[in-house]
Amino acid sequence: MSHSEPDGFAARKRRATSARIAASAARLAGRHGVASTTVEQIAADAEVARATFFRYYSTKESAIAEGVTGPWLVLVTEALARQPEHLSAKAALVAAFDELAGHFSDHRDEIWELARLTRSSPALHAWTTQTYQRYEDAIARLLTPRFPASSEPDPRPRLLAVLAMGAVRICLDDWVATGGSLPAPLSRAFASITVEPG
């Protein structure tokens, strides 16, 4: 047996435990509200000790934020990675989000509840905003190969990622406030982004 196998198993186990705690946190907060959800409830639901909770998350808000945003980060990055190599950075990004929008009706209630939840608590909103940077970093990494190679640092992949997540936040804000459609305004917002290879 190689020494890397136990380390690999341990890392997978840590990720699974972290994801289980985060999922429990988001589920309980969605059901009872952030204020009424306690660390003890989250730990019990995730079947871990209270001390184990704090090995992974410093506050209940950080666990809830991870539970809200983490699964969608996987969906976004996987959709972006599937786009054909010949597409420009913006075209690949638009195609990835269009692909996700095609499944919107299947997840509408869940997206609504999570969007409402993240705006119900100043602490949770702050944590969620912080985790959005993970989206931006992941998207930028996937977009970088779609820009021409340069000897100078190119800010455009990160700029495009920041604009994309800004569009998502604006559209979610409007959707929670007024209802209606989410995919259509999001598509219009993405169409207005103009960062392209020059």
Side-chain angles (χ1 to χ4, degrees), residues 86-169:
H86 71 272
L87 292 180
S88 69
K90 177 185 173 181
L93 193 58
V94 170
F97 275 87
D98 282 348
E99 180 183 315
L100 294 174
H103 302 287
F104 172 74
S105 59
D106 297 334
H107 301 283
R108 183 191 185 283
D109 292 344
E110 178 186 359
I111 296 171
W112 173 270
E113 181 57 29
L114 294 177
R116 183 202 61 77
L117 179 64
T118 60
R119 287 153 180 79
S120 67
S121 159
L124 182 55
H125 186 268
W127 273 106
T128 304
T129 300
Q130 184 181 51
T131 60
Y132 271 24
Q133 187 171 342
R134 290 171 55 205
Y135 283 72
E136 295 166 3
D137 292 343
I139 290 170
R141 283 194 298 272
L142 289 168
L143 293 180
T144 295
R146 297 180 185 271
F147 286 86
S150 172
S151 59
E152 299 294 326
D154 191 343
R156 290 173 297 179
R158 188 174 178 188
L159 282 170
L160 186 51
V162 169
L163 288 170
M165 291 312 302
V168 170
R169 286 195 292 270

Coordinates of all heavy atoms in Angstrom, one line a residue, residues 86-169:
H86 N -13.2 25.8 -28.6 CA -13.1 26.9 -29.6 C -13.9 28.1 -29.2 O -13.8 29.2 -29.8 CB -13.7 26.4 -30.9 CG -15.1 26.2 -31.0 ND1 -15.7 24.9 -30.6 CD2 -16.2 27.0 -31.3 CE1 -17.0 25.0 -30.7 NE2 -17.3 26.2 -31.1
L87 N -14.8 28.0 -28.1 CA -15.6 29.2 -27.7 C -14.7 30.2 -27.0 O -13.7 29.8 -26.3 CB -16.7 28.7 -26.8 CG -17.8 27.9 -27.3 CD1 -18.8 27.6 -26.2 CD2 -18.5 28.6 -28.5
S88 N -15.0 31.5 -27.2 CA -14.3 32.5 -26.5 C -14.6 32.4 -25.0 O -15.6 31.7 -24.6 CB -14.7 33.9 -27.0 OG -16.0 34.2 -26.7
A89 N -13.9 33.2 -24.2 CA -14.2 33.2 -22.8 C -15.6 33.6 -22.5 O -16.3 32.9 -21.7 CB -13.2 34.1 -22.1
K90 N -16.0 34.7 -23.1 CA -17.4 35.1 -22.8 C -18.4 34.1 -23.3 O -19.4 33.8 -22.6 CB -17.6 36.5 -23.4 CG -19.1 37.0 -23.2 CD -19.4 38.3 -23.9 CE -20.9 38.6 -23.8 NZ -21.2 39.9 -24.4
A91 N -18.2 33.6 -24.5 CA -19.2 32.7 -25.1 C -19.3 31.4 -24.3 O -20.4 30.9 -24.1 CB -18.8 32.3 -26.5
A92 N -18.2 30.9 -23.7 CA -18.2 29.7 -22.9 C -18.9 30.0 -21.6 O -19.7 29.2 -21.1 CB -16.7 29.3 -22.6
L93 N -18.7 31.2 -21.0 CA -19.4 31.6 -19.8 C -20.9 31.7 -20.0 O -21.7 31.1 -19.2 CB -18.8 32.9 -19.3 CG -19.1 33.3 -17.9 CD1 -18.7 32.2 -16.9 CD2 -18.5 34.6 -17.5
V94 N -21.3 32.3 -21.1 CA -22.7 32.5 -21.4 C -23.3 31.1 -21.6 O -24.4 30.8 -21.1 CB -22.9 33.4 -22.6 CG1 -24.4 33.3 -23.1 CG2 -22.5 34.8 -22.3
A95 N -22.6 30.2 -22.4 CA -23.2 28.9 -22.7 C -23.3 28.1 -21.4 O -24.3 27.3 -21.2 CB -22.3 28.2 -23.7
A96 N -22.4 28.2 -20.5 CA -22.4 27.4 -19.2 C -23.6 27.9 -18.4 O -24.4 27.0 -17.9 CB -21.1 27.6 -18.4
F97 N -23.8 29.2 -18.3 CA -25.0 29.6 -17.5 C -26.3 29.4 -18.2 O -27.3 29.2 -17.5 CB -24.8 31.1 -17.1 CG -23.9 31.3 -15.9 CD1 -22.6 31.4 -16.0 CD2 -24.5 31.4 -14.6 CE1 -21.8 31.5 -14.8 CE2 -23.8 31.5 -13.5 CZ -22.4 31.6 -13.6
D98 N -26.3 29.4 -19.5 CA -27.5 29.0 -20.2 C -27.9 27.6 -20.0 O -29.0 27.2 -19.8 CB -27.3 29.3 -21.7 CG -27.5 30.7 -22.1 OD1 -28.0 31.5 -21.3 OD2 -27.1 31.1 -23.3
E99 N -26.8 26.8 -19.9 CA -27.0 25.3 -19.6 C -27.7 25.2 -18.3 O -28.6 24.4 -18.1 CB -25.7 24.6 -19.7 CG -25.8 23.1 -19.4 CD -24.4 22.5 -19.5 OE1 -23.6 22.8 -20.4 OE2 -24.1 21.7 -18.5
L100 N -27.1 25.9 -17.3 CA -27.7 25.8 -15.9 C -29.1 26.4 -15.9 O -30.0 25.8 -15.2 CB -26.8 26.6 -15.0 CG -25.4 26.0 -14.7 CD1 -24.6 26.9 -13.9 CD2 -25.5 24.6 -14.1
A101 N -29.4 27.4 -16.6 CA -30.7 28.0 -16.7 C -31.7 27.1 -17.2 O -32.9 27.1 -16.8 CB -30.7 29.3 -17.5
G102 N -31.3 26.1 -18.1 CA -32.2 25.1 -18.6 C -32.8 24.2 -17.5 O -33.8 23.6 -17.7
H103 N -32.1 24.1 -16.4 CA -32.6 23.3 -15.3 C -33.2 24.1 -14.2 O -33.5 23.6 -13.1 CB -31.4 22.5 -14.7 CG -30.7 21.6 -15.7 ND1 -31.3 20.5 -16.2 CD2 -29.5 21.7 -16.3 CE1 -30.5 19.9 -17.1 NE2 -29.4 20.7 -17.2
F104 N -33.4 25.4 -14.5 CA -33.9 26.4 -13.4 C -35.3 25.9 -12.9 O -35.5 25.9 -11.6 CB -34.1 27.8 -14.0 CG -34.7 28.7 -13.0 CD1 -34.1 29.2 -11.9 CD2 -36.0 29.1 -13.3 CE1 -34.7 30.1 -11.1 CE2 -36.7 30.0 -12.4 CZ -36.0 30.5 -11.3
S105 N -36.2 25.5 -13.7 CA -37.5 25.1 -13.2 C -37.5 24.0 -12.3 O -38.3 23.9 -11.4 CB -38.5 24.8 -14.4 OG -37.9 23.7 -15.2
D106 N -36.5 23.1 -12.4 CA -36.4 21.9 -11.5 C -35.9 22.3 -10.1 O -36.2 21.6 -9.2 CB -35.4 20.9 -12.1 CG -35.8 20.3 -13.4 OD1 -37.0 20.3 -13.7 OD2 -34.9 19.9 -14.2
H107 N -35.3 23.5 -10.0 CA -34.7 23.9 -8.7 C -35.2 25.3 -8.3 O -34.6 25.8 -7.4 CB -33.2 23.9 -8.9 CG -32.5 22.6 -9.3 ND1 -32.4 21.6 -8.4 CD2 -32.1 22.2 -10.5 CE1 -31.8 20.6 -9.0 NE2 -31.6 20.9 -10.3
R108 N -36.3 25.8 -8.9 CA -36.7 27.1 -8.6 C -37.0 27.4 -7.2 O -36.5 28.4 -6.6 CB -38.0 27.4 -9.4 CG -38.5 28.9 -9.2 CD -39.8 29.1 -9.8 NE -40.2 30.5 -9.6 CZ -40.6 31.2 -8.5 NH1 -40.6 30.5 -7.4 NH2 -40.9 32.4 -8.5
D109 N -37.7 26.5 -6.5 CA -38.1 26.7 -5.1 C -36.8 26.7 -4.2 O -36.7 27.5 -3.3 CB -39.1 25.6 -4.6 CG -40.4 25.8 -5.3 OD1 -40.7 26.9 -5.9 OD2 -41.2 24.8 -5.2
E110 N -35.9 25.8 -4.5 CA -34.6 25.7 -3.7 C -33.8 26.9 -3.9 O -33.3 27.5 -2.9 CB -33.8 24.5 -4.2 CG -32.5 24.3 -3.5 CD -31.7 23.2 -4.0 OE1 -32.1 22.5 -5.0 OE2 -30.6 23.0 -3.5
I111 N -33.7 27.4 -5.2 CA -32.9 28.6 -5.4 C -33.5 29.8 -4.7 O -32.8 30.7 -4.1 CB -32.8 28.9 -6.9 CG1 -32.0 27.7 -7.6 CG2 -32.1 30.2 -7.2 CD1 -32.0 27.8 -9.1
W112 N -34.9 29.9 -4.8 CA -35.6 31.0 -4.1 C -35.3 31.0 -2.6 O -35.0 32.1 -2.1 CB -37.1 30.9 -4.4 CG -37.9 31.9 -3.7 CD1 -38.4 31.8 -2.4 CD2 -38.2 33.2 -4.1 NE1 -39.1 32.9 -2.0 CE2 -39.0 33.8 -3.0 CE3 -37.9 34.0 -5.2 CZ2 -39.4 35.1 -3.1 CZ3 -38.4 35.3 -5.3 CH2 -39.2 35.8 -4.2
E113 N -35.4 29.9 -2.0 CA -35.3 29.8 -0.6 C -33.8 30.1 -0.2 O -33.6 30.8 0.8 CB -35.6 28.4 -0.1 CG -35.5 28.2 1.4 CD -36.4 29.2 2.2 OE1 -37.4 29.6 1.7 OE2 -36.0 29.5 3.3
L114 N -32.9 29.6 -0.9 CA -31.5 29.9 -0.6 C -31.1 31.4 -0.8 O -30.4 32.0 0.0 CB -30.6 29.0 -1.4 CG -30.6 27.5 -1.2 CD1 -29.7 26.8 -2.1 CD2 -30.3 27.2 0.3
A115 N -31.7 32.0 -1.9 CA -31.4 33.4 -2.1 C -32.1 34.2 -1.0 O -31.5 35.2 -0.6 CB -32.0 33.8 -3.5
R116 N -33.3 33.9 -0.6 CA -34.0 34.6 0.4 C -33.2 34.4 1.7 O -33.0 35.4 2.5 CB -35.4 34.1 0.6 CG -36.2 34.8 1.6 CD -37.3 34.0 2.2 NE -36.9 32.8 2.8 CZ -36.4 32.7 4.0 NH1 -36.2 33.8 4.7 NH2 -36.0 31.6 4.5
L117 N -32.7 33.2 2.0 CA -32.0 32.9 3.2 C -30.8 33.8 3.4 O -30.5 34.3 4.4 CB -31.7 31.5 3.3 CG -30.9 31.0 4.5 CD1 -31.8 31.1 5.8 CD2 -30.6 29.5 4.3
T118 N -30.0 33.9 2.3 CA -28.7 34.6 2.4 C -28.9 36.1 2.6 O -28.0 36.8 3.0 CB -27.9 34.4 1.1 OG1 -28.6 34.8 0.0 CG2 -27.5 32.9 0.9
R119 N -30.1 36.6 2.3 CA -30.4 38.0 2.5 C -31.2 38.3 3.8 O -31.5 39.4 4.1 CB -31.2 38.5 1.3 CG -30.3 38.6 0.0 CD -31.2 38.5 -1.2 NE -30.3 38.6 -2.4 CZ -29.5 37.6 -2.9 NH1 -29.5 36.4 -2.3 NH2 -28.7 37.8 -3.9
S120 N -31.4 37.2 4.6 CA -32.1 37.4 5.8 C -31.3 37.7 7.0 O -31.8 38.1 8.1 CB -32.9 36.1 6.1 OG -32.1 35.0 6.4
S121 N -30.0 37.6 6.9 CA -29.1 37.8 8.0 C -27.8 38.5 7.5 O -27.2 38.1 6.6 CB -28.6 36.4 8.6 OG -27.4 36.5 9.3
P122 N -27.5 39.7 8.2 CA -26.3 40.4 7.8 C -25.1 39.6 7.9 O -24.2 39.6 7.0 CB -26.3 41.6 8.8 CG -27.7 41.8 9.2 CD -28.3 40.4 9.2
A123 N -24.9 38.8 8.9 CA -23.7 37.9 9.1 C -23.7 36.9 8.0 O -22.6 36.6 7.4 CB -23.7 37.2 10.4
L124 N -24.8 36.3 7.6 CA -24.8 35.2 6.6 C -24.6 35.9 5.2 O -23.9 35.3 4.4 CB -26.2 34.5 6.6 CG -26.3 33.4 5.6 CD1 -25.2 32.4 5.7 CD2 -27.6 32.7 5.7
H125 N -25.1 37.1 5.0 CA -24.9 37.8 3.8 C -23.4 38.1 3.6 O -22.9 37.9 2.5 CB -25.7 39.1 3.7 CG -25.7 39.8 2.4 ND1 -24.7 40.8 2.1 CD2 -26.4 39.6 1.3 CE1 -24.9 41.2 0.9 NE2 -25.9 40.5 0.4
A126 N -22.8 38.5 4.7 CA -21.3 38.8 4.6 C -20.5 37.5 4.3 O -19.6 37.6 3.4 CB -20.8 39.4 5.9
W127 N -20.9 36.4 4.9 CA -20.1 35.2 4.7 C -20.4 34.7 3.2 O -19.5 34.2 2.6 CB -20.6 34.1 5.6 CG -19.8 34.1 6.9 CD1 -20.3 34.6 8.1 CD2 -18.5 33.7 7.1 NE1 -19.3 34.4 9.1 CE2 -18.2 33.9 8.5 CE3 -17.5 33.1 6.3 CZ2 -17.0 33.6 9.0 CZ3 -16.3 32.8 6.9 CH2 -16.0 33.0 8.2
T128 N -21.6 34.9 2.7 CA -21.9 34.4 1.4 C -21.2 35.3 0.4 O -20.7 34.8 -0.6 CB -23.4 34.5 1.1 OG1 -24.1 33.7 2.1 CG2 -23.8 33.9 -0.2
T129 N -21.1 36.6 0.6 CA -20.4 37.4 -0.3 C -18.9 37.0 -0.3 O -18.3 37.0 -1.4 CB -20.5 38.9 0.2 OG1 -21.9 39.3 0.2 CG2 -19.7 39.8 -0.7
Q130 N -18.4 36.7 0.8 CA -17.0 36.2 0.9 C -16.8 34.9 0.1 O -15.8 34.8 -0.7 CB -16.6 36.0 2.3 CG -15.1 35.6 2.5 CD -14.8 35.4 4.0 OE1 -15.4 34.7 4.7 NE2 -13.7 36.1 4.4
T131 N -17.7 34.0 0.2 CA -17.6 32.7 -0.6 C -17.8 32.9 -2.1 O -17.3 32.1 -2.8 CB -18.6 31.7 -0.1 OG1 -20.0 32.2 -0.3 CG2 -18.4 31.4 1.4
Y132 N -18.5 34.0 -2.5 CA -18.6 34.3 -3.9 C -17.2 34.5 -4.6 O -17.1 34.2 -5.8 CB -19.5 35.5 -4.1 CG -20.9 35.2 -4.3 CD1 -21.5 34.0 -3.7 CD2 -21.8 36.1 -4.9 CE1 -22.8 33.8 -3.8 CE2 -23.2 35.8 -5.0 CZ -23.7 34.6 -4.4 OH -25.0 34.4 -4.5
Q133 N -16.2 34.9 -3.8 CA -14.9 35.0 -4.3 C -14.4 33.7 -4.8 O -13.6 33.6 -5.7 CB -14.0 35.7 -3.3 CG -12.6 36.0 -4.0 CD -11.7 36.8 -3.0 OE1 -12.2 37.5 -2.1 NE2 -10.4 36.8 -3.3
R134 N -14.8 32.6 -4.1 CA -14.4 31.3 -4.6 C -14.9 31.0 -6.0 O -14.2 30.4 -6.8 CB -14.9 30.2 -3.6 CG -14.2 30.2 -2.3 CD -14.9 29.3 -1.3 NE -15.0 27.9 -1.8 CZ -15.9 27.1 -1.4 NH1 -16.9 27.4 -0.5 NH2 -16.0 25.9 -1.9
Y135 N -16.1 31.4 -6.3 CA -16.7 31.3 -7.6 C -15.8 32.1 -8.6 O -15.5 31.5 -9.7 CB -18.1 31.9 -7.7 CG -19.2 31.0 -7.1 CD1 -19.3 30.8 -5.7 CD2 -20.1 30.4 -7.9 CE1 -20.3 30.1 -5.2 CE2 -21.2 29.7 -7.4 CZ -21.3 29.5 -6.0 OH -22.3 28.7 -5.5
E136 N -15.5 33.3 -8.2 CA -14.7 34.2 -9.1 C -13.4 33.5 -9.4 O -12.9 33.5 -10.6 CB -14.6 35.5 -8.5 CG -15.9 36.3 -8.4 CD -15.9 37.5 -7.5 OE1 -14.8 37.8 -7.1 OE2 -16.9 38.1 -7.3
D137 N -12.7 33.0 -8.4 CA -11.4 32.4 -8.6 C -11.5 31.2 -9.5 O -10.6 31.0 -10.4 CB -10.8 32.1 -7.2 CG -10.4 33.3 -6.4 OD1 -10.3 34.4 -7.0 OD2 -10.2 33.2 -5.2
A138 N -12.5 30.4 -9.2 CA -12.6 29.1 -10.0 C -13.0 29.4 -11.4 O -12.4 28.8 -12.3 CB -13.7 28.2 -9.3
I139 N -13.9 30.4 -11.6 CA -14.3 30.7 -13.0 C -13.1 31.3 -13.7 O -12.8 31.0 -14.9 CB -15.4 31.7 -13.0 CG1 -16.7 31.0 -12.5 CG2 -15.7 32.3 -14.4 CD1 -17.9 31.9 -12.3
A140 N -12.3 32.2 -13.1 CA -11.2 32.8 -13.7 C -10.1 31.8 -14.1 O -9.5 31.9 -15.2 CB -10.5 33.8 -12.8
R141 N -9.9 30.8 -13.3 CA -8.9 29.7 -13.6 C -9.4 29.0 -14.9 O -8.5 28.6 -15.8 CB -8.7 28.7 -12.5 CG -7.9 29.2 -11.4 CD -7.5 28.1 -10.4 NE -8.6 27.5 -9.8 CZ -9.1 27.9 -8.6 NH1 -8.7 29.0 -8.0 NH2 -10.2 27.3 -8.1
L142 N -10.7 28.7 -15.0 CA -11.2 28.0 -16.2 C -11.2 28.8 -17.4 O -11.1 28.3 -18.6 CB -12.6 27.4 -15.9 CG -12.6 26.3 -14.9 CD1 -14.1 26.0 -14.4 CD2 -12.0 25.0 -15.5
L143 N -11.3 30.1 -17.3 CA -11.4 31.0 -18.4 C -10.0 31.4 -19.0 O -9.9 31.7 -20.1 CB -12.1 32.3 -18.1 CG -13.6 32.2 -17.8 CD1 -14.2 33.6 -17.4 CD2 -14.4 31.6 -19.0
T144 N -9.0 31.4 -18.1 CA -7.6 31.8 -18.5 C -7.1 31.2 -19.8 O -6.6 31.9 -20.7 CB -6.7 31.6 -17.3 OG1 -7.0 32.4 -16.2 CG2 -5.2 31.9 -17.8
P145 N -7.3 29.9 -20.0 CA -6.8 29.3 -21.2 C -7.5 29.8 -22.5 O -7.0 29.5 -23.6 CB -7.0 27.8 -21.0 CG -7.1 27.6 -19.5 CD -7.8 28.8 -19.1
R146 N -8.6 30.4 -22.3 CA -9.4 30.9 -23.5 C -8.9 32.3 -23.9 O -9.4 32.8 -24.9 CB -10.9 30.9 -23.2 CG -11.5 29.5 -22.9 CD -12.9 29.5 -22.6 NE -13.4 28.2 -22.2 CZ -13.9 27.3 -23.0 NH1 -14.0 27.6 -24.3 NH2 -14.3 26.1 -22.6
F147 N -8.0 32.9 -23.2 CA -7.4 34.1 -23.6 C -6.0 33.9 -24.2 O -5.4 32.9 -23.8 CB -7.3 35.1 -22.4 CG -8.6 35.7 -22.0 CD1 -9.4 35.0 -21.1 CD2 -9.0 36.9 -22.4 CE1 -10.6 35.5 -20.7 CE2 -10.2 37.4 -22.0 CZ -11.0 36.8 -21.1
P148 N -5.6 34.7 -25.2 CA -4.3 34.5 -25.8 C -3.2 34.6 -24.7 O -3.3 35.4 -23.8 CB -4.2 35.7 -26.7 CG -5.6 36.1 -27.0 CD -6.3 35.9 -25.8
A149 N -2.2 33.7 -24.9 CA -1.1 33.7 -23.9 C -0.4 35.1 -24.0 O -0.2 35.7 -25.0 CB -0.1 32.6 -24.3
S150 N 0.1 35.5 -22.8 CA 0.8 36.8 -22.8 C 1.9 36.7 -21.7 O 1.8 36.0 -20.7 CB -0.2 37.9 -22.4 OG 0.5 39.1 -22.1
S151 N 3.0 37.5 -22.0 CA 4.1 37.5 -21.0 C 3.7 38.4 -19.8 O 4.4 38.3 -18.8 CB 5.3 38.0 -21.7 OG 5.1 39.4 -22.2
E152 N 2.7 39.2 -20.0 CA 2.3 40.1 -18.9 C 1.0 39.5 -18.2 O 0.2 38.8 -18.8 CB 1.9 41.5 -19.4 CG 3.0 42.2 -20.1 CD 4.1 42.6 -19.1 OE1 3.8 42.8 -17.9 OE2 5.3 42.6 -19.5
P153 N 0.9 39.7 -16.9 CA -0.3 39.2 -16.2 C -1.6 39.8 -16.9 O -1.6 41.0 -17.2 CB -0.2 39.7 -14.8 CG 1.3 40.0 -14.6 CD 1.8 40.4 -16.0
D154 N -2.6 38.9 -17.2 CA -3.8 39.4 -17.9 C -4.9 39.4 -16.9 O -5.3 38.4 -16.3 CB -4.1 38.4 -19.0 CG -5.2 38.9 -19.9 OD1 -5.9 39.8 -19.5 OD2 -5.3 38.3 -21.0
P155 N -5.5 40.6 -16.6 CA -6.5 40.7 -15.6 C -7.9 40.3 -16.2 O -8.8 40.2 -15.4 CB -6.5 42.2 -15.3 CG -6.1 42.9 -16.6 CD -5.1 41.9 -17.2
R156 N -8.0 40.1 -17.5 CA -9.3 39.8 -18.1 C -10.0 38.6 -17.6 O -11.3 38.7 -17.4 CB -9.2 39.9 -19.6 CG -8.9 41.3 -20.1 CD -8.6 41.3 -21.6 NE -7.4 40.5 -21.9 CZ -7.0 40.3 -23.2 NH1 -7.6 40.8 -24.2 NH2 -5.9 39.6 -23.4
P157 N -9.4 37.5 -17.4 CA -10.1 36.3 -16.9 C -10.8 36.6 -15.5 O -12.0 36.3 -15.3 CB -9.1 35.2 -16.7 CG -8.1 35.6 -17.8 CD -8.0 37.1 -17.7
R158 N -10.1 37.3 -14.6 CA -10.6 37.6 -13.3 C -11.7 38.7 -13.5 O -12.7 38.6 -12.8 CB -9.5 38.0 -12.4 CG -10.1 38.2 -10.9 CD -9.0 38.5 -10.0 NE -9.5 38.7 -8.6 CZ -8.8 39.1 -7.6 NH1 -7.5 39.4 -7.8 NH2 -9.4 39.3 -6.4
L159 N -11.5 39.7 -14.3 CA -12.5 40.7 -14.5 C -13.8 40.1 -15.0 O -14.9 40.4 -14.6 CB -12.0 41.7 -15.5 CG -11.0 42.8 -15.0 CD1 -10.4 43.6 -16.2 CD2 -11.7 43.7 -14.0
L160 N -13.7 39.2 -16.0 CA -14.9 38.5 -16.5 C -15.6 37.7 -15.5 O -16.8 37.7 -15.4 CB -14.5 37.6 -17.7 CG -15.6 37.0 -18.5 CD1 -16.6 38.0 -19.0 CD2 -15.0 36.2 -19.7
A161 N -14.8 37.0 -14.6 CA -15.4 36.2 -13.6 C -16.1 37.1 -12.6 O -17.2 36.8 -12.1 CB -14.3 35.4 -12.9
V162 N -15.5 38.3 -12.2 CA -16.1 39.2 -11.3 C -17.4 39.8 -11.8 O -18.4 39.9 -11.2 CB -15.1 40.3 -10.9 CG1 -15.8 41.4 -10.1 CG2 -14.0 39.7 -10.1
L163 N -17.4 40.1 -13.1 CA -18.6 40.7 -13.8 C -19.7 39.6 -13.8 O -20.8 40.0 -13.6 CB -18.2 41.2 -15.2 CG -17.4 42.4 -15.3 CD1 -16.9 42.6 -16.7 CD2 -18.2 43.6 -14.8
A164 N -19.3 38.4 -14.1 CA -20.3 37.3 -14.1 C -21.0 37.1 -12.8 O -22.2 37.1 -12.7 CB -19.6 36.0 -14.6
M165 N -20.2 37.1 -11.7 CA -20.8 36.9 -10.4 C -21.5 38.1 -10.0 O -22.5 38.0 -9.2 CB -19.7 36.5 -9.4 CG -19.1 35.1 -9.6 SD -20.4 33.8 -9.9 CE -21.3 33.9 -8.4
G166 N -21.1 39.3 -10.4 CA -21.8 40.5 -10.1 C -23.2 40.5 -10.8 O -24.2 40.9 -10.2
A167 N -23.2 40.0 -12.0 CA -24.5 39.8 -12.7 C -25.4 38.9 -12.0 O -26.7 39.1 -11.9 CB -24.3 39.4 -14.2
V168 N -24.9 37.8 -11.5 CA -25.7 36.8 -10.7 C -26.3 37.5 -9.5 O -27.5 37.3 -9.2 CB -24.8 35.6 -10.4 CG1 -25.6 34.7 -9.4 CG2 -24.5 34.8 -11.6
R169 N -25.4 38.2 -8.7 CA -25.9 38.8 -7.5 C -27.0 39.9 -7.8 O -28.0 39.9 -7.1 CB -24.7 39.5 -6.7 CG -23.8 38.5 -6.1 CD -22.9 39.1 -5.1 NE -21.9 40.0 -5.7 CZ -20.7 39.5 -6.1 NH1 -20.4 38.3 -5.9 NH2 -19.9 40.4 -6.6

